[in-house]
Amino acid sequence: MAKKEVKAIDSSTEERIKLAAHKLFAQKGYAGTKTRDIASEAGINLALLNYYFRSKEKLFELIMREHIQQFFQGMFQVLNDENTSIQQKIETLVGRYVDTLMLQPDIPIFVLSELRNSPMNLADNIQKNMQIKNSYFMKQIKEGIANGTIDNIHPVQLMSNLISLTVFPFIANPILKTIHGIDQEQFNTFMLERKKLIPLWIAEIIKPKTTFNK
Amino acid sequence: MAKKEVKAIDSSTEERIKLAAHKLFAQKGYAGTKTRDIASEAGINLALLNYYFRSKEKLFELIMREHIQQFFQGMFQVLNDENTSIQQKIETLVGRYVDTLMLQPDIPIFVLSELRNSPMNLADNIQKNMQIKNSYFMKQIKEGIANGTIDNIHPVQLMSNLISLTVFPFIANPILKTIHGIDQEQFNTFMLERKKLIPLWIAEIIKPKTTFNK
DNA sequence: GCAAACTTTAATCACTTGTTTAAATCTTTT
DNA sequence: AAAAGATTTAAACAAGTGATTAAAGTTTGC
């Protein structure tokens, strides 16, 4: 009689554990998160964690893969849209990341700091989700360079600039706020302004330079 | 007397522990580093850690402060040099950070990820070491904007761009290498190229825009 | 309604981890 | 050389931690 479906999926025990783990792992990292904290945060008995996910590590890997997928999946679509210009793609990417990260600012530093030591091979996972090298965006860049529409720049450098300018301020948030003496609200305003500015800056960077002397 | 000084400072037990802790904390974070690992890495008995530093946390705070100091101290000098141009300061800063981080690539993500949760107030520490807001560099920027020598840009945005473009690739190193299928050597070449390019990009960003249509 | 399967609980195990203690060894002072 | 102090060691403690177990509760299919 489908009594299971009465429970909303989001409030099922399994999902509650995942949500709690998601939150704590992102906040405190793998080693800093204790299974009892997850259980307590999810409002469940400790043994259930192992019942549903076998082990802390299995649960972690699951959540980690979801993070990486979520973090990268949007990019793939945007970069391979054959109906948008380079500039439009840049605006969309920056806009999406800023919006997402304003809601979940802990994700980048969590993923990147765990990725450093994690024995599990996430390379495969990323590789599958991201074929940036062969994306339509990269093709557009190369064409632009050939045409002289945009300045000669290595596509990897361009992508790095895009992501650096967008993501790094979230990672450096505590230092930024301290150094410049601003609060969280001012930081958000700051990032919303960057959402508009970064595409303009990138445009300047890739604009072809007419090299005549003075 | 002064028989203590016979031992080279670098090989004293206390220094060996600090060095080992430095390495492991940067690599695995606070929670991920075990006191026994530090002892083993330093080649000492476990109890010595507590004998010299009272506790794991005390040792951590000490090392953390040193990292932050090292990380920021150079910036202060560069930004307040009254004999260099804006462009020269940018070149020096980028150059120094790239060189430093190529040798110690783990530091930024370690410091930033620990800074997030750390109960200790590092704000004071940073505040003292960094008075960026009132630096000579900031004065130069504001003058440049007033003169029309450089484009109207919020100095905080400019600083963020500088640090983002320089530091973030080191943080995202594992993803960068995976996505673009390059190895550590190619990554270093990539960063050396950025060392030259970032100042040029910044120059483009702050160059005054003559807004006539087409 | 009832047996089988699924879900949840409390208690416990085995191991890890930060810290301490008391004794041993080395160094310095007298 | 002996006393005093500094350094180092092995052993152990107490709390924390990931995982398991066996039993109780709940739902599902017939």
Side-chain angles (χ1 to χ4, degrees):
Chain A
M1 284 144 199
K3 284 159 200 167
K4 270 277 190 58
E5 281 75 356
V6 172
K7 287 184 184 176
I9 295 175
D10 292 357
S11 69
S12 76
T13 302
E14 192 175 347
E15 201 61 26
R16 286 228 311 287
I17 298 174
K18 258 171 69 177
L19 232 67
H22 180 104
K23 176 180 166 185
L24 293 182
F25 279 140
Q27 228 168 71
K28 303 164 178 256
Y30 177 77
T33 302
K34 311 303 171 190
T35 51
R36 281 167 179 81
D37 297 342
I38 298 176
S40 149
E41 171 81 24
I44 54 132
N45 185 287
L46 174 60
L48 280 183
L49 190 151
N50 293 306
Y51 174 72
Y52 280 109
F53 302 98
R54 302 257 319 153
S55 73
K56 178 190 177 187
E57 200 178 339
K58 288 272 200 314
L59 174 57
F60 174 76
E61 288 191 15
L62 184 76
I63 287 175
M64 190 70 170
R65 287 186 196 288
E66 283 184 1
H67 272 304
I68 290 179
Q69 194 137 341
Q70 184 203 325
F71 199 69
F72 285 117
Q73 71 185 1
M75 185 181 278
F76 187 69
Q77 301 166 355
V78 176
L79 292 186
N80 281 297
D81 188 337
E82 305 207 354
N83 299 313
T84 55
S85 67
I86 292 179
Q87 203 59 29
Q88 283 173 321
K89 285 187 180 62
I90 293 174
E91 279 169 26
T92 308
L93 274 184
V94 174
R96 281 198 190 188
Y97 276 121
V98 169
D99 292 344
T100 304
L101 294 182
M102 276 180 65
L103 297 175
Q104 303 193 326
D106 281 338
I107 309 301
I109 199 158
F110 161 63
V111 171
L112 290 170
S113 75
E114 297 295 345
L115 218 51
R116 204 175 17 159
N117 305 316
S118 188
M120 74 176 176
N121 197 358
L122 289 160
D124 310 340
N125 206 293
I126 296 174
Q127 199 83 334
K128 266 180 211 154
N129 289 317
M130 296 285 295
Q131 295 198 321
I132 295 198
K133 257 181 138 171
N134 313 315
S135 67
Y136 186 71
F137 179 69
M138 285 302 183
K139 201 178 293 178
Q140 284 178 298
I141 298 288
K142 284 169 195 157
E143 277 177 23
I145 292 173
N147 296 344
T149 323
I150 68 175
D151 192 48
N152 187 20
I153 183 174
H154 195 305
V156 175
Q157 296 284 8
L158 176 56
M159 275 310 284
S160 298
N161 292 349
L162 189 60
I163 306 297
S164 298
L165 291 172
T166 308
V167 177
F168 186 76
F170 287 101
I171 294 181
N173 176 311
I175 287 188
L176 257 172
K177 288 197 292 195
T178 303
I179 282 183
H180 299 110
I182 61 178
D183 59 21
Q184 189 58 39
E185 198 191 327
Q186 288 172 301
F187 175 79
N188 285 341
T189 311
F190 170 81
M191 283 313 302
L192 289 177
E193 207 187 332
R194 278 182 90 75
K195 195 159 90 172
K196 287 180 275 177
L197 289 173
I198 292 172
L200 300 179
W201 292 329
I202 300 276
E204 286 299 327
I205 287 176
I206 65 179
K207 188 177 3 182
K209 279 88 191 173
T210 48
T211 41
F212 60 94
N213 282 342
K214 298 239 155 166
Chain B
M1 297 120 206
K3 284 155 200 168
K4 274 269 190 59
E5 282 75 353
V6 172
K7 283 186 187 176
I9 295 174
D10 292 359
S11 69
S12 76
T13 303
E14 192 174 347
E15 201 60 26
R16 285 227 313 286
I17 298 174
K18 258 171 69 176
L19 231 69
H22 180 103
K23 176 180 168 184
L24 293 182
F25 279 139
Q27 225 168 72
K28 302 166 179 259
Y30 178 76
T33 302
K34 312 305 173 188
T35 52
R36 280 166 179 80
D37 297 342
I38 298 177
S40 149
E41 172 80 25
I44 52 130
N45 184 284
L46 173 59
L48 281 183
L49 190 153
N50 294 66
Y51 174 72
Y52 280 109
F53 300 97
R54 302 247 331 145
S55 72
K56 178 190 178 187
E57 202 178 338
K58 288 274 199 310
L59 174 57
F60 173 76
E61 289 191 16
L62 183 77
I63 287 174
M64 190 70 169
R65 287 186 196 286
E66 284 184 1
H67 272 305
I68 289 179
Q69 194 137 340
Q70 185 205 323
F71 200 68
F72 284 117
Q73 70 185 3
M75 186 181 277
F76 186 68
Q77 301 167 353
V78 176
L79 292 186
N80 280 298
D81 188 337
E82 305 206 355
N83 299 313
T84 54
S85 67
I86 293 179
Q87 204 58 27
Q88 282 172 321
K89 285 189 180 60
I90 294 173
E91 280 170 25
T92 308
L93 273 184
V94 174
R96 281 197 190 190
Y97 276 120
V98 170
D99 292 343
T100 304
L101 295 181
M102 276 180 65
L103 296 175
Q104 304 193 326
D106 280 338
I107 309 301
I109 199 158
F110 162 63
V111 170
L112 291 170
S113 74
E114 297 295 345
L115 219 51
R116 204 176 18 161
N117 306 317
S118 188
M120 73 175 177
N121 198 358
L122 289 160
D124 310 338
N125 207 292
I126 297 175
Q127 198 82 334
K128 266 180 211 153
N129 289 318
M130 296 285 293
Q131 295 199 322
I132 294 199
K133 258 180 137 170
N134 312 315
S135 66
Y136 185 71
F137 180 69
M138 285 303 184
K139 200 178 293 179
Q140 285 177 299
I141 299 288
K142 284 169 195 159
E143 276 178 23
I145 294 173
N147 294 346
T149 323
I150 68 175
D151 194 45
N152 188 19
I153 183 174
H154 195 304
V156 176
Q157 297 283 9
L158 177 56
M159 273 312 283
S160 299
N161 292 350
L162 189 60
I163 307 296
S164 298
L165 291 172
T166 308
V167 177
F168 186 76
F170 288 100
I171 294 180
N173 175 313
I175 288 188
L176 257 172
K177 287 198 292 195
T178 305
I179 282 181
H180 300 110
I182 61 177
D183 58 21
Q184 188 58 39
E185 198 191 327
Q186 288 173 302
F187 175 80
N188 285 342
T189 310
F190 170 81
M191 284 311 305
L192 289 177
E193 207 186 333
R194 278 182 90 74
K195 195 158 91 172
K196 286 180 275 176
L197 289 173
I198 291 173
L200 301 179
W201 291 329
I202 300 276
E204 287 298 326
I205 288 177
I206 66 179
K207 189 178 0 182
K209 278 88 193 173
T210 48
T211 42
F212 60 96
N213 282 341
K214 297 236 160 170

Short mmCIF file of all heavy atoms in Angstrom, two decimals, chain A residues 161-200:
data_model
loop_
_atom_site.label_atom_id
_atom_site.label_comp_id
_atom_site.label_asym_id
_atom_site.label_seq_id
_atom_site.Cartn_x
_atom_site.Cartn_y
_atom_site.Cartn_z
N ASN A 161 41.77 31.57 -14.57
CA ASN A 161 41.42 32.93 -14.15
C ASN A 161 39.95 33.01 -13.76
O ASN A 161 39.60 33.59 -12.73
CB ASN A 161 41.70 33.91 -15.28
CG ASN A 161 43.18 34.04 -15.56
OD1 ASN A 161 44.00 33.56 -14.78
ND2 ASN A 161 43.53 34.69 -16.67
N LEU A 162 39.12 32.43 -14.60
CA LEU A 162 37.68 32.47 -14.38
C LEU A 162 37.33 31.88 -13.02
O LEU A 162 36.63 32.51 -12.19
CB LEU A 162 37.00 31.68 -15.50
CG LEU A 162 35.48 31.75 -15.62
CD1 LEU A 162 35.05 33.19 -15.83
CD2 LEU A 162 35.02 30.90 -16.78
N ILE A 163 37.81 30.68 -12.76
CA ILE A 163 37.49 29.99 -11.51
C ILE A 163 38.16 30.67 -10.32
O ILE A 163 37.56 30.86 -9.26
CB ILE A 163 37.92 28.51 -11.58
CG1 ILE A 163 37.33 27.83 -12.81
CG2 ILE A 163 37.49 27.78 -10.33
CD1 ILE A 163 35.85 27.77 -12.83
N SER A 164 39.42 31.05 -10.49
CA SER A 164 40.14 31.72 -9.40
C SER A 164 39.39 32.95 -8.93
O SER A 164 39.12 33.11 -7.73
CB SER A 164 41.54 32.13 -9.85
OG SER A 164 42.30 31.00 -10.20
N LEU A 165 39.06 33.82 -9.86
CA LEU A 165 38.43 35.10 -9.50
C LEU A 165 37.08 34.88 -8.83
O LEU A 165 36.67 35.65 -7.97
CB LEU A 165 38.25 35.96 -10.76
CG LEU A 165 39.54 36.50 -11.39
CD1 LEU A 165 39.26 37.16 -12.73
CD2 LEU A 165 40.21 37.49 -10.44
N THR A 166 36.40 33.79 -9.22
CA THR A 166 35.06 33.56 -8.70
C THR A 166 35.08 32.81 -7.36
O THR A 166 34.40 33.20 -6.41
CB THR A 166 34.24 32.72 -9.71
OG1 THR A 166 34.32 33.34 -10.99
CG2 THR A 166 32.79 32.62 -9.27
N VAL A 167 35.86 31.76 -7.29
CA VAL A 167 35.78 30.86 -6.13
C VAL A 167 36.68 31.29 -4.97
O VAL A 167 36.29 31.18 -3.81
CB VAL A 167 36.14 29.41 -6.55
CG1 VAL A 167 36.14 28.49 -5.35
CG2 VAL A 167 35.16 28.92 -7.62
N PHE A 168 37.86 31.80 -5.30
CA PHE A 168 38.82 32.07 -4.22
C PHE A 168 38.30 32.97 -3.10
O PHE A 168 38.55 32.70 -1.92
CB PHE A 168 40.14 32.60 -4.76
CG PHE A 168 41.18 32.75 -3.70
CD1 PHE A 168 41.85 31.64 -3.21
CD2 PHE A 168 41.48 34.00 -3.15
CE1 PHE A 168 42.80 31.77 -2.22
CE2 PHE A 168 42.43 34.13 -2.16
CZ PHE A 168 43.09 33.01 -1.68
N PRO A 169 37.59 34.06 -3.45
CA PRO A 169 37.12 34.93 -2.35
C PRO A 169 36.29 34.17 -1.31
O PRO A 169 36.34 34.50 -0.13
CB PRO A 169 36.28 35.97 -3.08
CG PRO A 169 36.89 36.05 -4.43
CD PRO A 169 37.29 34.65 -4.76
N PHE A 170 35.55 33.15 -1.72
CA PHE A 170 34.78 32.37 -0.74
C PHE A 170 35.72 31.58 0.18
O PHE A 170 35.47 31.44 1.37
CB PHE A 170 33.83 31.41 -1.46
CG PHE A 170 32.66 32.09 -2.09
CD1 PHE A 170 32.64 32.36 -3.46
CD2 PHE A 170 31.58 32.50 -1.33
CE1 PHE A 170 31.57 33.00 -4.05
CE2 PHE A 170 30.50 33.15 -1.91
CZ PHE A 170 30.49 33.40 -3.26
N ILE A 171 36.80 31.07 -0.40
CA ILE A 171 37.76 30.31 0.39
C ILE A 171 38.49 31.23 1.36
O ILE A 171 38.75 30.86 2.50
CB ILE A 171 38.77 29.60 -0.55
CG1 ILE A 171 38.04 28.54 -1.37
CG2 ILE A 171 39.90 28.99 0.25
CD1 ILE A 171 38.94 27.76 -2.30
N ALA A 172 38.81 32.42 0.90
CA ALA A 172 39.56 33.35 1.74
C ALA A 172 38.65 34.25 2.56
O ALA A 172 39.13 35.19 3.20
CB ALA A 172 40.49 34.19 0.86
N ASN A 173 37.40 33.94 2.57
CA ASN A 173 36.39 34.75 3.26
C ASN A 173 36.84 35.26 4.64
O ASN A 173 36.81 36.47 4.88
CB ASN A 173 35.08 33.96 3.35
CG ASN A 173 34.01 34.69 4.13
OD1 ASN A 173 34.26 35.17 5.23
ND2 ASN A 173 32.83 34.80 3.57
N PRO A 174 37.27 34.37 5.55
CA PRO A 174 37.61 34.87 6.88
C PRO A 174 38.73 35.91 6.86
O PRO A 174 38.67 36.90 7.59
CB PRO A 174 38.05 33.60 7.63
CG PRO A 174 38.27 32.56 6.60
CD PRO A 174 37.40 32.89 5.45
N ILE A 175 39.73 35.68 6.01
CA ILE A 175 40.83 36.64 5.93
C ILE A 175 40.37 37.94 5.30
O ILE A 175 40.69 39.03 5.77
CB ILE A 175 42.00 36.04 5.13
CG1 ILE A 175 42.70 34.98 5.98
CG2 ILE A 175 42.99 37.11 4.72
CD1 ILE A 175 43.97 34.46 5.38
N LEU A 176 39.59 37.82 4.24
CA LEU A 176 39.07 39.01 3.56
C LEU A 176 38.30 39.89 4.54
O LEU A 176 38.52 41.11 4.61
CB LEU A 176 38.12 38.59 2.43
CG LEU A 176 38.67 38.67 1.02
CD1 LEU A 176 37.72 38.04 0.03
CD2 LEU A 176 38.95 40.12 0.64
N LYS A 177 37.43 39.24 5.29
CA LYS A 177 36.62 40.01 6.23
C LYS A 177 37.48 40.67 7.29
O LYS A 177 37.26 41.84 7.65
CB LYS A 177 35.55 39.11 6.88
CG LYS A 177 34.45 38.73 5.89
CD LYS A 177 33.20 38.21 6.59
CE LYS A 177 33.44 36.88 7.26
NZ LYS A 177 32.19 36.22 7.63
N THR A 178 38.47 39.94 7.78
CA THR A 178 39.34 40.51 8.82
C THR A 178 40.19 41.65 8.28
O THR A 178 40.24 42.74 8.86
CB THR A 178 40.28 39.42 9.39
OG1 THR A 178 39.49 38.35 9.89
CG2 THR A 178 41.13 39.99 10.50
N ILE A 179 40.85 41.39 7.15
CA ILE A 179 41.75 42.39 6.60
C ILE A 179 41.03 43.70 6.29
O ILE A 179 41.51 44.78 6.60
CB ILE A 179 42.41 41.86 5.29
CG1 ILE A 179 43.54 40.90 5.63
CG2 ILE A 179 42.95 43.01 4.47
CD1 ILE A 179 44.28 40.39 4.41
N HIS A 180 39.89 43.57 5.68
CA HIS A 180 39.21 44.78 5.23
C HIS A 180 38.11 45.24 6.19
O HIS A 180 37.39 46.19 5.91
CB HIS A 180 38.65 44.58 3.83
CG HIS A 180 39.70 44.28 2.83
ND1 HIS A 180 39.84 43.04 2.25
CD2 HIS A 180 40.71 45.04 2.33
CE1 HIS A 180 40.89 43.06 1.43
NE2 HIS A 180 41.42 44.24 1.45
N GLY A 181 38.02 44.52 7.29
CA GLY A 181 37.09 44.95 8.33
C GLY A 181 35.64 45.02 7.86
O GLY A 181 34.93 45.99 8.14
N ILE A 182 35.19 43.98 7.13
CA ILE A 182 33.80 43.98 6.70
C ILE A 182 33.07 42.79 7.32
O ILE A 182 33.71 41.84 7.79
CB ILE A 182 33.68 43.91 5.15
CG1 ILE A 182 34.33 42.62 4.63
CG2 ILE A 182 34.33 45.13 4.54
CD1 ILE A 182 34.20 42.46 3.13
N ASP A 183 31.76 42.84 7.35
CA ASP A 183 30.98 41.73 7.90
C ASP A 183 30.42 40.85 6.77
O ASP A 183 30.68 41.09 5.60
CB ASP A 183 29.86 42.25 8.81
CG ASP A 183 28.92 43.17 8.06
OD1 ASP A 183 28.88 43.10 6.80
OD2 ASP A 183 28.22 43.97 8.70
N GLN A 184 29.62 39.83 7.16
CA GLN A 184 29.15 38.86 6.17
C GLN A 184 28.26 39.51 5.12
O GLN A 184 28.32 39.19 3.94
CB GLN A 184 28.40 37.72 6.88
CG GLN A 184 28.04 36.56 5.97
CD GLN A 184 29.26 35.94 5.30
OE1 GLN A 184 30.29 35.79 5.93
NE2 GLN A 184 29.15 35.59 4.03
N GLU A 185 27.44 40.46 5.57
CA GLU A 185 26.53 41.11 4.62
C GLU A 185 27.33 41.91 3.59
O GLU A 185 27.05 41.84 2.39
CB GLU A 185 25.58 42.04 5.39
CG GLU A 185 24.35 42.43 4.60
CD GLU A 185 23.58 43.57 5.29
OE1 GLU A 185 23.60 43.61 6.54
OE2 GLU A 185 23.01 44.40 4.58
N GLN A 186 28.32 42.63 4.06
CA GLN A 186 29.15 43.40 3.14
C GLN A 186 29.92 42.48 2.20
O GLN A 186 30.14 42.82 1.03
CB GLN A 186 30.13 44.28 3.92
CG GLN A 186 29.46 45.45 4.60
CD GLN A 186 30.42 46.19 5.53
OE1 GLN A 186 30.96 45.62 6.46
NE2 GLN A 186 30.62 47.48 5.27
N PHE A 187 30.30 41.31 2.72
CA PHE A 187 30.98 40.34 1.86
C PHE A 187 30.07 39.89 0.73
O PHE A 187 30.49 39.79 -0.43
CB PHE A 187 31.45 39.13 2.66
CG PHE A 187 32.05 38.04 1.80
CD1 PHE A 187 33.35 38.15 1.35
CD2 PHE A 187 31.30 36.93 1.42
CE1 PHE A 187 33.91 37.17 0.53
CE2 PHE A 187 31.84 35.95 0.62
CZ PHE A 187 33.15 36.07 0.18
N ASN A 188 28.80 39.63 1.06
CA ASN A 188 27.86 39.21 0.02
C ASN A 188 27.67 40.30 -1.04
O ASN A 188 27.64 40.00 -2.23
CB ASN A 188 26.52 38.83 0.65
CG ASN A 188 26.58 37.47 1.35
OD1 ASN A 188 27.48 36.67 1.09
ND2 ASN A 188 25.65 37.23 2.26
N THR A 189 27.54 41.52 -0.59
CA THR A 189 27.45 42.63 -1.53
C THR A 189 28.68 42.66 -2.44
O THR A 189 28.57 42.83 -3.66
CB THR A 189 27.36 43.97 -0.78
OG1 THR A 189 26.35 43.87 0.22
CG2 THR A 189 27.04 45.12 -1.72
N PHE A 190 29.81 42.48 -1.79
CA PHE A 190 31.09 42.44 -2.50
C PHE A 190 31.08 41.37 -3.60
O PHE A 190 31.49 41.62 -4.74
CB PHE A 190 32.19 42.16 -1.47
CG PHE A 190 33.54 41.85 -2.02
CD1 PHE A 190 34.39 42.85 -2.46
CD2 PHE A 190 33.98 40.52 -2.07
CE1 PHE A 190 35.65 42.55 -2.95
CE2 PHE A 190 35.25 40.23 -2.57
CZ PHE A 190 36.08 41.24 -3.01
N MET A 191 30.55 40.18 -3.27
CA MET A 191 30.52 39.10 -4.25
C MET A 191 29.50 39.36 -5.36
O MET A 191 29.72 38.98 -6.51
CB MET A 191 30.21 37.76 -3.57
CG MET A 191 31.38 37.14 -2.80
SD MET A 191 32.96 37.09 -3.71
CE MET A 191 32.50 36.16 -5.18
N LEU A 192 28.40 40.00 -5.01
CA LEU A 192 27.41 40.32 -6.04
C LEU A 192 27.99 41.33 -7.03
O LEU A 192 27.69 41.28 -8.23
CB LEU A 192 26.14 40.87 -5.38
CG LEU A 192 25.33 39.83 -4.62
CD1 LEU A 192 24.12 40.47 -3.93
CD2 LEU A 192 24.86 38.71 -5.56
N GLU A 193 28.83 42.22 -6.52
CA GLU A 193 29.46 43.17 -7.43
C GLU A 193 30.45 42.43 -8.33
O GLU A 193 30.53 42.70 -9.54
CB GLU A 193 30.18 44.26 -6.61
CG GLU A 193 30.29 45.57 -7.38
CD GLU A 193 31.15 46.59 -6.64
OE1 GLU A 193 31.21 46.51 -5.40
OE2 GLU A 193 31.77 47.44 -7.32
N ARG A 194 31.20 41.51 -7.74
CA ARG A 194 32.14 40.72 -8.54
C ARG A 194 31.43 39.95 -9.65
O ARG A 194 31.97 39.78 -10.73
CB ARG A 194 32.88 39.71 -7.65
CG ARG A 194 34.05 40.29 -6.92
CD ARG A 194 34.78 39.25 -6.10
NE ARG A 194 35.86 38.58 -6.84
CZ ARG A 194 37.04 39.13 -7.10
NH1 ARG A 194 37.28 40.36 -6.73
NH2 ARG A 194 37.96 38.46 -7.77
N LYS A 195 30.21 39.50 -9.37
CA LYS A 195 29.44 38.75 -10.37
C LYS A 195 29.33 39.55 -11.66
O LYS A 195 29.39 39.00 -12.76
CB LYS A 195 28.06 38.43 -9.79
CG LYS A 195 27.29 37.38 -10.54
CD LYS A 195 26.20 36.76 -9.68
CE LYS A 195 24.88 37.48 -9.76
NZ LYS A 195 23.80 36.75 -9.07
N LYS A 196 29.18 40.85 -11.50
CA LYS A 196 29.10 41.71 -12.69
C LYS A 196 30.49 42.03 -13.25
O LYS A 196 30.68 42.12 -14.46
CB LYS A 196 28.37 43.03 -12.33
CG LYS A 196 26.87 42.87 -12.13
CD LYS A 196 26.22 44.20 -11.78
CE LYS A 196 26.30 44.49 -10.30
NZ LYS A 196 25.73 45.80 -9.91
N LEU A 197 31.44 42.21 -12.34
CA LEU A 197 32.76 42.71 -12.77
C LEU A 197 33.65 41.65 -13.43
O LEU A 197 34.34 41.94 -14.40
CB LEU A 197 33.49 43.30 -11.56
CG LEU A 197 32.92 44.62 -11.03
CD1 LEU A 197 33.60 45.03 -9.73
CD2 LEU A 197 33.07 45.73 -12.08
N ILE A 198 33.61 40.42 -12.88
CA ILE A 198 34.52 39.39 -13.39
C ILE A 198 34.40 39.20 -14.90
O ILE A 198 35.42 39.18 -15.60
CB ILE A 198 34.34 38.06 -12.62
CG1 ILE A 198 34.82 38.23 -11.18
CG2 ILE A 198 35.09 36.93 -13.30
CD1 ILE A 198 34.52 37.04 -10.27
N PRO A 199 33.16 39.09 -15.45
CA PRO A 199 33.07 38.96 -16.91
C PRO A 199 33.69 40.14 -17.64
O PRO A 199 34.31 39.95 -18.70
CB PRO A 199 31.56 38.89 -17.15
CG PRO A 199 31.00 38.35 -15.89
CD PRO A 199 31.85 38.93 -14.80
N LEU A 200 33.56 41.33 -17.08
CA LEU A 200 34.17 42.50 -17.73
C LEU A 200 35.70 42.40 -17.69
O LEU A 200 36.37 42.71 -18.68
CB LEU A 200 33.71 43.79 -17.03
CG LEU A 200 32.19 44.06 -17.03
CD1 LEU A 200 31.87 45.34 -16.28
CD2 LEU A 200 31.68 44.13 -18.47
#
